Amino acid sequence: MTEAVLFWLFAVVAVAGGLGVVLARDPLHGALSLLAAFFALAGLFLLLAAQLLAVLQVLVYAGAILVLFLLVILLLDLGPARAAASPPGVVKLAGALGALGLAGLLCTLFLSASFPPAVPPSDFGAVAAVGRVLFIDYTLPFEAISLLLLAAILGAVVVAKGKV
Amino acid sequence: MILPSAYLVVGALLFGLGLCGVLVRRNALTAFMSVELMLNAANLTFLAFARHPLRGAPSLDGSAIAFFVIAVAAAEASVGLAVVIAVFRSRGTVEIDALRSLRH
């Protein structure tokens, strides 16, 4: 019962936040909607017994990535969007219909699948268990990610300093 | 008891919304935020399938892959926003339609 209430709360907030990102005129409002969606998704991760990922979602997405977005939005001071910036109605309609069609296709596919009841071990999703998987089964990708992050730091500094 | 499909449907809806934002919106920042939304929807799907697999026991591989997706998204956001700043400094706009210098 509690699970159902929490699920519907988080699901509605997540989808409403996503709608806010797509519909908001001002990128600042879109970023704040995205923040709500990230928190709701962290709640959904918790319901799926992925505690570590829920914490990382709040720390990395809401705490780091979204703050970076807000910083850039405030730094650029874009002002009101030009009327010509909005694409013609037919493009909007085509984009919305295409995305809606894909989502509907995925939904029918997922709803037709049957899942056998699965009981996870008691430490499923805990930091120690995920850490064991990361450092034993995924050692090489983990090290590659550290190189990727280093390259991203250097790339961000170089690109933001120079002229494009 | 919530069916596993419900999580997957939320993931599909969020992915569709993100795709719609990328296709329809002309502001580079909004398009970027829509991409982040799509990455999050993919993460939700990974975790839902990890907790409720179609066959076999629940596995932590989904958590590991979602972890990597978060790391890659952080790298992508930092480099992408640096590009947005550089474009704004050289052109004074972040509208995607204004960036056509790679054509021809």
Side-chain angles (χ1 to χ4, degrees), chain A residues 80-135:
Chain A
R82 290 183 298 112
S86 190
V90 61
V91 174
K92 278 185 181 171
L93 192 70
L97 276 184
L100 203 72
L102 180 70
L105 203 66
L106 286 173
C107 283
T108 46
L109 195 67
F110 289 149
L111 286 174
S112 68
S114 67
F115 294 87
V119 181
S122 61
D123 65 342
F124 190 77
V127 181
V130 179
R132 230 172 282 126
V133 172
L134 272 181
F135 284 110

Side-chain angles (χ1 to χ4, degrees), chain A residues 4-161:
Chain A
V5 172
L6 285 176
F7 171 79
W8 284 108
L9 177 73
F10 290 139
V12 167
V13 171
V15 174
L19 267 176
V21 174
V22 178
L23 297 179
R25 290 234 152 270
D26 191 343
L28 192 62
H29 297 163
L32 294 178
S33 307
L34 195 61
L35 182 66
F38 284 165
F39 271 104
L41 276 163
L44 287 176
F45 291 177
L46 265 185
L47 289 180
L48 285 168
Q51 297 96 322
L52 176 64
L53 265 296
V55 172
L56 278 180
Q57 169 86 2
V58 172
L59 275 181
V60 178
Y61 263 114
I65 295 181
L66 209 76
V67 169
L68 197 64
F69 268 103
L70 285 173
L71 213 66
V72 170
I73 290 169
L74 295 177
L75 191 68
L76 294 187
D77 190 19
L78 295 173
R82 290 183 298 112
S86 190
V90 61
V91 174
K92 278 185 181 171
L93 192 70
L97 276 184
L100 203 72
L102 180 70
L105 203 66
L106 286 173
C107 283
T108 46
L109 195 67
F110 289 149
L111 286 174
S112 68
S114 67
F115 294 87
V119 181
S122 61
D123 65 342
F124 190 77
V127 181
V130 179
R132 230 172 282 126
V133 172
L134 272 181
F135 284 110
I136 293 173
D137 298 340
Y138 291 91
T139 316
L140 194 63
F142 189 83
E143 296 298 330
I145 282 288
S146 66
L147 276 181
L148 175 77
L149 286 173
L150 180 66
I153 295 170
L154 295 177
V157 171
V158 169
V159 170
K161 272 183 83 175

Side-chain angles (χ1 to χ4, degrees), chain B residues 1-93:
Chain B
M1 176 64 194
I2 292 290
L3 287 177
S5 306
Y7 294 96
L8 299 171
V9 167
V10 174
L13 285 179
L14 284 177
F15 191 88
L17 278 173
L19 182 66
C20 183
V22 172
L23 290 176
V24 167
R25 297 302 304 267
R26 283 290 157 266
N27 186 316
L29 287 167
T30 307
F32 253 119
M33 287 192 276
S34 303
V35 172
E36 299 293 333
L37 200 62
M38 288 164 77
L39 287 168
N40 265 286
N43 261 352
L44 180 61
T45 312
F46 270 128
L47 290 175
F49 271 122
R51 171 71 182 74
H52 302 283
L54 285 170
R55 63 182 73 84
S59 123
L60 282 172
D61 290 347
S63 283
I65 291 178
F67 175 86
F68 291 131
V69 170
I70 288 183
V72 171
E76 173 253 338
S78 62
V79 175
L81 287 173
V83 170
V84 169
I85 290 180
V87 165
F88 184 78
R89 289 210 311 203
S90 68
R91 287 158 210 259
T93 179

